[in-house]
Amino acid sequence: MNPKLARYLLYHPVVFLKGERVVKYLREYSHTQWLAPSELQSYQLRKLRRLLKFVATRVPYYRDSLSGIDLSSIADITDVAQLPCVDKSTIRDRAMLLHSKRPNLFTSVKTTGGSTGQPVSILKSPRSLAMERAATWRSYAWAGISIGDPQARFWGVPARNVDRRRRRIVEFVSNRLHLSAFRFTDAELGRYYQKLQSFRPKYLYGYVSMLIAFADYLEANCLRPPCPLKCIVTTSEVLTEPARQYLAQVFQSRVYNEYGCGEVGSIAHECEYGNMHIMSENLLVEVVRDFEHGGSQTSGEIVVTELNNFVMPLIRYRLGDYAEAAPEPCRCGRGLPVIKHIHGRAYDIITAPDGRKYHGEFFVYVFEDAKKRDLGVNQFQVVQTTVGDLTVRVVPAEHHSPLVESFIRKRIRRTTGMSVTFELVSDIAREDSGKLRLIKALKADVAA
C-alpha cells in the first residue's frame, strides 16, 4: 500500500477515533528532543509533581504508601529516589489498588510476560498510549522511517481467534506484513522470503534471534535480501555487536535497536550515532545500583516512573533489567539522556523433534494466556532437557490452580508435540551474567 494512503487514510483516522492524539504529541516530541538536558529535566519535574499530586489522593495504593512522605520536598527529578519502588508482585497482588478509576470503552488492557517471566496486566489511557506511539514514531524518524511506511514484522501469533482478528486489523491499518516468529521451518522461511519480495517492506522489525534465523536461511541458500531495505529495527532481546554486524551484512542495511516493555512502552531508541536515547517526555528512568542481583560499579537495575498514565500509574517500577547510564552527551545534539549496555533478556529458540523451531516468545504468550485466566502463576521458566522434553518451572501464586498444569501442557504439546514436566519452585535464578534466561534451549553438545 502507498505509504501516504496508509498514513492519512488509515492510521491517523483510526488512532484519532480511539482517542489517541498521536499527531499532536508527535509534533511536540519532535521539538522537545532538542531541548537542553536541564530543560528536559524541568519538563519531567512538572509532570512528576502533577502525577504525585494526583496519586496521593486518587490512587489507593499510593495514598497509603506515600502517606508519610512530604511530596512538596520533591524539588528535583533525583528526589524521586525518596519514594518506594513497585514491582511485578505489587501489580499482581494489589492491582485494584493501583487503579485510579474503573476502565471504560477507551481504556486498553495490556497483559505482558516481560523479561522476567511474571505476567501482569496494565490499564492504559488513550492519552498515555498516544504519547507512547508519538515517542516511538519520533524515534523511528532517526532511522529514516515514518508512519505508513510498509513494515515486515517478525513477531508472535496470538492464540485466541479474537486476538488474531484484532491483529489482522492492526496490520492492515499499520501497512505491515506479519511473519510468525513462533513456529517456522526452512520451508516456511522460504515462503517468508517470497512474501517479502512481493510486499517490499521499507524496513524489517522483530526479535533479534528470529531475524538472525532468517539471515541464516538467506546465507545457507545463497540468497540476496528480498528487497532493498532502509533499515532493520531489533527489539525484545539483547542485540550484541556481532549480531548487529551480521544482520547488517546479510540484509545490506543498517540496524537500529529499541528497548521497551509492555508495561510502560518505549523506553529507549537508537539514534543515527548509535546511542540509545531515553524517551524522557514519557518516562523518568533511574539506573539504581544493585550489587546483590547483577549490578556493578557502572551498571544497575532500571527503575522507571511512567509520567502520563493516570489510569494505572507506575511510580519507580522495577523492570528486572540492567543498564549503564551514560553521562556524556550524544553527538546528535539531542538532550535526551543516553543509556547503554542494556541486558537482562535472554530467549532461546527451541527446536522440536520434527525440526520446527519455536521462538521463546511463544512460551511467554502461553503464560500470558494463563495470567488472563487467573490460573495463579507468579513466574516461570522453560528449559529443554532432551530433544522432545521440556521442564517448566513455575513460581506459584497463593491462588495457584492445579488447572494451570493441564492448560499449559495442552497448549505446548498441541503446538510443539513436546512433553512437559512441571516443577514448582520458590524463585527463578539469574545466570552469573545477571541475565534472567526464561527460555533455555538444549545445548548443542547434549542434542548431538
Side-chain angles (χ1 to χ4, degrees):
M1 186 188 308
N2 181 281
K4 289 186 177 180
L5 291 179
R7 184 182 308 132
Y8 295 112
L9 296 185
L10 289 175
Y11 185 88
H12 286 331
V14 168
V15 295
F16 184 84
L17 290 173
K18 291 173 62 181
E20 300 176 18
R21 305 299 186 256
V22 176
V23 175
K24 169 188 174 182
Y25 297 115
L26 181 55
R27 290 198 191 100
E28 178 181 335
Y29 290 1
S30 296
H31 166 71
T32 53
Q33 65 180 326
W34 301 109
L35 295 177
S38 59
E39 293 177 299
L40 275 170
Q41 290 173 10
S42 297
Y43 179 99
Q44 290 178 302
L45 183 60
R46 290 193 295 273
K47 282 194 168 186
L48 177 64
R49 285 174 167 168
R50 179 169 174 258
L51 177 66
L52 293 176
K53 182 179 180 180
F54 177 86
V55 301
T57 57
R58 300 284 297 276
V59 182
Y61 176 83
Y62 292 113
R63 190 167 56 225
D64 295 338
S65 64
L66 302 180
S67 61
I69 300 174
D70 179 11
L71 298 181
S72 64
S73 67
I74 304 294
D76 186 86
I77 59 171
T78 58
D79 292 337
V80 74
Q82 303 173 24
L83 309 180
C85 290
V86 297
D87 55 22
K88 285 183 170 61
S89 63
T90 310
I91 298 174
R92 284 196 319 269
D93 301 337
R94 312 191 72 179
M96 295 302 296
L97 297 179
L98 286 166
H99 298 173
S100 65
K101 58 183 178 181
R102 297 182 64 181
N104 57 39
L105 179 63
F106 293 102
T107 304
S108 296
V109 181
K110 170 69 174 179
T111 299
T112 172
S115 61
T116 62
Q118 297 173 288
V120 295
S121 294
I122 305 293
L123 301 183
K124 294 189 176 185
S125 67
R127 177 174 175 270
S128 66
L129 280 174
M131 290 176 165
E132 284 181 25
R133 301 192 205 283
T136 297
W137 286 117
R138 181 269 309 275
S139 305
Y140 281 2
W142 306 343
I145 50 181
S146 61
I147 296 172
D149 286 341
Q151 169 201 153
R153 172 172 290 220
F154 291 83
W155 206 247
V157 179
R160 299 188 306 169
N161 289 332
V162 62
D163 293 331
R164 291 181 180 178
R165 288 192 294 269
R166 185 181 300 116
R167 185 207 70 205
R168 284 193 288 269
I169 294 172
V170 171
E171 288 167 3
F172 178 70
V173 170
S174 302
N175 196 19
R176 72 189 186 206
L177 171 68
H178 183 277
L179 301 170
S180 174
F182 278 4
R183 184 178 68 177
F184 58 94
T185 61
D186 279 355
E188 285 162 328
L189 292 178
R191 287 191 285 273
Y192 291 177
Y193 186 81
Q194 294 173 353
K195 288 181 178 180
L196 289 168
Q197 286 182 311
S198 175
F199 187 73
R200 300 186 66 80
K202 188 172 182 178
Y203 64 106
L204 305 183
Y205 177 95
Y207 308 135
V208 176
S209 55
M210 182 62 208
L211 288 166
I212 289 175
F214 187 58
D216 288 342
Y217 172 81
L218 299 190
E219 287 287 274
N221 291 276
C222 300
L223 294 172
R224 296 177 58 82
C227 62
L229 296 167
K230 181 66 177 179
C231 67
I232 297 168
V233 180
T234 58
T235 189
S236 293
E237 299 168 311
V238 174
L239 176 66
T240 63
E241 190 56 33
R244 179 194 294 275
Q245 293 177 7
Y246 178 61
L247 292 173
Q249 172 194 337
V250 174
F251 292 110
Q252 301 174 20
S253 180
R254 179 164 176 178
V255 179
Y256 288 80
N257 196 22
E258 73 171 22
Y259 169 65
C261 67
E263 297 95 305
V264 300
S266 295
I267 297 173
H269 287 262
E270 183 177 338
C271 76
E272 62 270 32
Y273 285 89
N275 287 318
M276 296 289 289
H277 288 274
I278 294 172
M279 303 294 98
S280 295
E281 297 94 342
N282 296 341
L283 307 164
L284 185 57
V285 177
E286 306 168 73
V287 177
V288 179
R289 301 291 182 264
D290 183 4
F291 303 113
E292 182 180 355
H293 299 98
S296 68
Q297 292 290 347
T298 57
S299 68
E301 184 178 7
I302 299 174
V303 177
V304 175
T305 298
E306 212 282 6
L307 298 170
N308 305 315
N309 187 19
F310 283 57
V311 174
M312 189 175 179
L314 294 179
I315 297 173
R316 302 203 73 217
Y317 178 52
R318 299 177 61 184
L319 296 185
D321 292 338
Y322 293 81
E324 179 180 339
E328 63 276 4
C330 179
R331 289 186 296 156
C332 72
R334 296 179 180 89
L336 301 167
V338 172
I339 56 173
K340 57 186 180 180
H341 302 150
I342 302 167
H343 66 281
R345 304 178 178 198
Y347 294 161
D348 288 354
I349 289 180
I350 301 291
T351 303
D354 64 1
R356 288 186 181 271
K357 300 179 186 297
Y358 298 85
H359 190 278
E361 280 282 354
F362 162 75
F363 301 96
V364 173
Y365 272 42
V366 172
F367 282 90
E368 287 181 0
D369 281 348
K371 162 68 179 179
K372 291 175 182 176
R373 289 166 171 79
D374 198 25
L375 296 180
V377 176
N378 272 355
Q379 196 173 14
F380 72 91
Q381 183 184 53
V382 177
V383 180
Q384 187 174 18
T385 51
T386 71
V387 174
D389 299 292
L390 300 172
T391 294
V392 174
R393 296 178 180 136
V394 171
V395 179
E398 289 185 4
H399 62 286
H400 178 74
S401 167
L403 295 176
V404 71
E405 293 191 15
S406 59
F407 171 78
I408 292 172
R409 180 179 284 110
K410 181 179 179 181
R411 281 283 306 277
I412 292 177
R413 187 167 183 81
R414 182 180 64 196
T415 304
T416 70
M418 303 177 74
S419 65
V420 178
T421 300
F422 273 84
E423 293 181 1
L424 296 183
V425 297
S426 58
D427 69 293
I428 305 295
R430 287 183 176 270
E431 304 290 306
D432 292 340
S433 64
K435 294 180 181 179
L436 183 60
R437 292 183 61 196
L438 299 183
I439 317 298
K440 301 175 71 172
L442 191 65
K443 293 182 180 179
D445 55 344
V446 176

